[in-house]
Amino acid sequence: MTEPPLAGIRVLDVSTLFAGPLAATFLGDFGADVIKVEHPRKPDAARAHGPAKDGVNLWWKTLGRNKRTVTIDLGEQAGAELLLALAEDADVLIENFRPGTLERWGLGPAELHAANPGLVIARVTAFGQVGPYATRPGFGTIAEAMSGFAALTGEPDGPPTLPPFGLADGIAALATAYAVMVGLRAGVGQVIDTAIIEPILMLLGGQITAYDQLGAVQPRTGNRSVNNAPRNVYRTSDGTWLAVSTSSQSIAERVMRLVGRPDVVDEPWFASGHERAQHADELDAAVSAWIAARPADEVVAEFERAHAAVGRVHDVRGVLSDPQYAALGTVQAVDDPELGELRMQNVLFRLSATPGRIRWTGRPHGADTDEVLAKVGVTPEQLAALRESGIV
């Protein structure tokens, strides 16, 4: 195979749970040598998150893929010295301890850059490294609340709604992986400060500017949008839910002609997505009635003929049976030493010349400790002593 684009980049992943580790996973997927460092007696809590089979955690198989796993107690001086030795030959370190923790252990940026001046240090925390909340504990859920996401999500007469998965963590992971690549491209050692409350806020659009200039506060609108209509989920005659979006003017016109309401296309208000949203009751009623009278396959076929946007509302079973995902190779079957063949999401995107790939699934706790530490000069006798003292 062509050498992956991040081959030769070494990443120390000393973070836990989701945002930091997932950022490291994204880098490992494209060839970075990721060394996952965990406490000898307190593994990353992600290893116990979600379902397991035969005592083997399933989410870890994806989150921990393409990583070598090492155990070191960083809170002990001997453990800190081991990490500094690993840092000498690393390009990136990703951590998510509360601000001040690494400094207390003698592993802050000053010590890490003394060991390796070119190291890119990514610090991923709920609230960032400064400010009144910096030392508070926090998770993606708090970011989803504080960013305004939850306030926008849910039915108008219902409570704010949180996502049933780590949305803010995932967005922060993408942002951190991007920041790491920017830092590496800059070619100088530096510190990245990712606050999980910030990347999700950026993705919520122009709300801050709209409030600043107009005093406008976007309300909860359920599945509707304040920017266009019709936009909703609609149930077919055979009980399938379909999503329809009309973000462009031409598609809005095609949808309304398809469902038998060409008259509204000539209304003055129809020319603006924002004004169409103010007539969502009328537009939704027409689309809903037309879809409700037909089975899903017919609706999808008619929308395709009209060049209008429609998609099935999948659960995981639908994803695995969808021919488009199959054509893209979105789900990959991978051999796992503990569970045999299993399926998981493939790498995020396709590069034609230097593709990424899943080289191996998440490995057991500390599986590569001996091999990794031997490369920095730790002898078998020293390893035995470190194990006896609980450092590794």
Side-chain angles (χ1 to χ4, degrees):
M1 285 187 63
T2 302
E3 189 170 62
L6 299 185
I9 300 297
R10 178 161 293 171
V11 178
L12 299 179
D13 175 12
V14 301
S15 58
T16 60
L17 289 171
F18 308 115
L22 188 56
T25 302
F26 293 149
L27 300 173
D29 283 352
F30 286 90
D33 176 18
V34 180
I35 298 173
K36 170 73 175 179
V37 179
E38 299 172 81
H39 192 282
R41 294 167 298 283
K42 301 173 187 175
D44 187 337
R47 288 182 179 272
H49 190 86
K53 179 182 178 182
D54 299 331
V56 178
N57 181 264
L58 299 178
W59 171 221
W60 176 254
K61 291 300 178 182
T62 299
L63 185 62
R65 73 190 188 193
N66 294 333
K67 300 180 184 182
R68 296 191 284 165
T69 61
V70 174
T71 58
I72 304 175
D73 185 346
L74 302 180
E76 297 291 336
Q77 183 177 348
E81 290 172 357
L82 288 173
L83 188 73
L84 289 172
L86 290 172
E88 289 179 11
D89 193 35
D91 301 283
V92 179
L93 182 142
I94 301 175
E95 67 97 2
N96 69 338
F97 297 103
R98 288 198 216 179
T101 302
L102 283 187
E103 286 82 352
R104 189 170 67 249
W105 294 339
L107 291 170
E111 291 85 359
L112 289 167
H113 281 146
N116 181 351
L119 189 67
V120 174
I121 304 168
R123 313 193 79 170
V124 187
T125 57
F127 305 110
Q129 296 296 309
V130 299
Y133 303 167
T135 58
R136 288 183 182 180
F139 301 98
T141 296
I142 308 305
E144 289 145 11
M146 287 182 59
S147 65
F149 174 86
L152 290 175
T153 307
E155 294 300 321
D157 57 351
T161 302
L162 296 165
F165 63 97
L167 177 64
D169 284 301
I171 296 171
L174 286 166
T176 301
Y178 170 61
V180 165
M181 297 310 301
V182 172
L184 291 172
R185 179 67 176 83
V188 296
Q190 58 184 304
V191 178
I192 297 164
D193 179 6
T194 301
I196 297 174
I197 61 173
E198 289 185 303
I200 188 173
L201 180 61
M202 183 63 181
L203 267 61
L204 291 178
Q207 294 180 70
I208 289 176
T209 307
Y211 179 76
D212 176 70
Q213 297 295 304
L214 303 172
V217 178
Q218 185 173 329
R220 283 193 294 284
T221 55
N223 290 319
R224 289 179 173 176
S225 169
V226 296
N227 299 311
N228 65 82
R231 189 263 199 180
N232 214 322
V233 293
Y234 308 91
R235 196 170 191 179
T236 65
S237 64
D238 55 359
T240 301
W241 287 99
L242 301 177
V244 172
S245 177
T246 58
S247 293
S248 73
Q249 180 67 25
S250 61
I251 288 183
E253 293 174 6
R254 292 172 197 158
V255 168
M256 296 318 296
R257 290 191 176 105
L258 174 64
V259 303
R261 288 296 307 274
D263 57 298
V264 297
V265 174
D266 297 324
E267 294 287 347
W269 51 262
F270 197 85
S272 161
H274 182 69
E275 289 192 65
R276 290 202 312 273
Q278 297 175 38
H279 292 78
D281 285 345
E282 179 180 0
L283 299 177
D284 262 351
V287 175
S288 179
W290 188 88
I291 289 178
R294 292 162 175 80
D297 287 348
E298 179 183 339
V299 174
V300 171
E302 291 295 328
F303 266 72
E304 287 184 352
R305 273 192 284 272
H307 299 285
V310 68
R312 296 174 187 266
V313 178
H314 285 325
D315 60 16
V316 66
R317 295 167 294 185
V319 170
L320 291 174
S321 63
D322 192 296
Q324 182 60 32
Y325 282 126
L328 294 172
T330 305
V331 177
Q332 184 75 33
V334 188
D335 286 327
D336 178 75
E338 294 179 287
L339 298 174
E341 185 177 271
L342 52 83
R343 289 181 290 179
M344 63 176 63
Q345 301 95 316
N346 206 342
V347 300
L348 280 177
F349 44 81
R350 288 160 293 282
L351 295 179
S352 60
T354 56
R357 68 187 179 99
I358 304 168
R359 290 167 286 157
W360 62 82
T361 57
R363 290 169 60 71
H365 181 229
D368 304 287
T369 301
D370 291 15
E371 176 189 354
V372 169
L373 294 184
K375 293 291 180 64
V376 293
V378 179
T379 67
E381 293 76 19
Q382 290 170 326
L383 271 170
L386 289 167
R387 278 206 170 86
E388 181 68 24
S389 61
I391 301 299
V392 302

